[in-house]
């Protein structure tokens, strides 16, 4: 087993996904939910992120080429989506979770994507897949993806301890902080996308 490749990809993807940094956003979006619903939302988000990352690992470049979409465009789209979520958190106008519907919506967007399976994670995965030269290396990359998602699930699963410590007032403050952080991440994603487009198209002008 190529432990060097496993370690490189695991660390890269783990840093990009940033499980500790996900906790404030996760709690801001699910803090008002019952513990069971919050755990279910975390599991759904991780499963969706896992599916998206594996999907792009297998057919990402082919799909983007077919749609004539460049990676910076995907990055900018993720940034715009996060701006909308950040504004909801900052203004306190988030939708109240309603049984299955609210939980599912939160798990899918923005938790599953673009926060967990965002442009950074997708691009990193596609680059490592392009480096792989054998079936063994593909399996190593798959194992690293599973290990990262398992780590994220564990972090989200035990975030309920933080909820009990913060109580409603703390969750309210955390929601505003998470909104500010999401807004900063969104602006950075859009700025990076614009910079990438300038690099590509400026020489052609």
């Amino acid at each position: 087993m190529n432990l060097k490749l496993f370690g490189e990809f695991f660390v890269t993807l783990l840093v990009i996904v940033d499980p500790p940094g996900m906790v404030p956003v996760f709690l801001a979006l699910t803090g008002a939910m019952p513990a069971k619903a919050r755990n279910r939302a975390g599991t759904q988000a991780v499963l969706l992120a896992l599916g998206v990352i594996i999907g792009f690992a297998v057919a990402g470049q082919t799909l983007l080429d077919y749609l004539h979409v460049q990676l910076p465009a995907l990055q900018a789209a993720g940034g715009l989506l996060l701006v909308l979520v950040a504004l909801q958190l900052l203004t306190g106008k988030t939708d109240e979770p309603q049984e299955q519907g609210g939980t599912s919506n939160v798990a899918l967007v923005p938790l599953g994507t673009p926060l967990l399976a965002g442009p950074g994670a997708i691009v990193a995965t596609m680059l490592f897949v392009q480096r792989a030269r054998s079936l063994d290396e593909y399996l190593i990359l798959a194992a690293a993806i599973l290990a990262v998602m398992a780590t994220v699930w564990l972090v989200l699963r035990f975030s309920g301890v933080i909820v009990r410590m913060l109580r409603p007032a703390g969750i309210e403050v955390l929601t505003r902080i998470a909104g500010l952080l999401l807004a900063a991440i969104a602006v950075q994603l859009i700025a990076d996308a614009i910079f990438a487009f300038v690099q590509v198209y400026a020489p052609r002008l």
Side-chain angles (χ1 to χ4, degrees):
M1 181 177 179
N2 190 340
L3 293 178
K4 183 174 183 292
L5 177 62
F6 178 89
E8 285 181 0
F9 185 42
F10 176 82
V11 172
T12 300
L13 192 58
L14 190 68
V15 169
I16 292 173
V17 174
D18 187 18
M22 274 292 301
V23 171
V25 180
F26 178 72
L27 293 181
L29 294 170
T30 65
M33 294 180 180
K36 186 176 180 180
R38 184 171 57 250
N39 293 337
R40 184 166 59 247
T43 300
Q44 290 175 345
V46 169
L47 289 176
L48 174 65
L50 177 63
V52 170
I53 290 176
I54 290 179
F56 272 93
V58 174
Q61 193 60 55
T62 301
L63 177 62
L64 293 181
D65 291 342
Y66 177 77
L67 296 175
H68 304 290
V69 173
Q70 297 183 24
L71 288 176
L74 186 67
Q75 194 170 4
L80 290 174
L81 182 59
L82 287 184
V83 166
L84 297 178
V85 178
L87 289 175
Q88 287 184 332
L89 294 178
L90 286 170
T91 58
K93 294 181 179 179
T94 53
D95 297 329
E96 290 296 328
Q98 298 176 355
E99 301 302 328
Q100 293 289 340
T103 301
S104 296
N105 289 336
V106 169
L108 298 179
V109 179
L111 290 178
T113 182
L115 287 178
L116 290 178
I122 290 172
V123 172
T125 300
M126 291 172 62
L127 290 177
F128 272 92
V129 167
Q130 291 174 2
R131 284 175 48 185
R133 293 292 180 268
S134 66
L135 178 61
D136 289 344
E137 292 185 342
Y138 287 123
L139 293 177
I140 289 170
L141 295 180
I145 293 173
L146 291 174
V148 169
M149 290 297 109
T151 302
V152 173
W153 181 83
L154 287 173
V155 171
L156 298 184
R157 176 66 177 78
F158 292 102
S159 61
V161 178
I162 303 176
V163 172
R164 289 192 292 271
M165 293 172 58
L166 292 177
R167 301 186 181 278
I171 292 295
E172 182 72 16
V173 173
L174 191 61
T175 298
R176 300 297 182 266
I177 295 174
L180 183 61
L181 293 175
L182 269 186
I185 294 172
V187 171
Q188 187 63 56
L189 283 174
I190 295 172
D192 290 344
I194 293 173
F195 181 72
F197 274 123
V198 169
Q199 283 186 313
V200 172
Y201 291 108
R204 304 180 186 179
L205 299 178

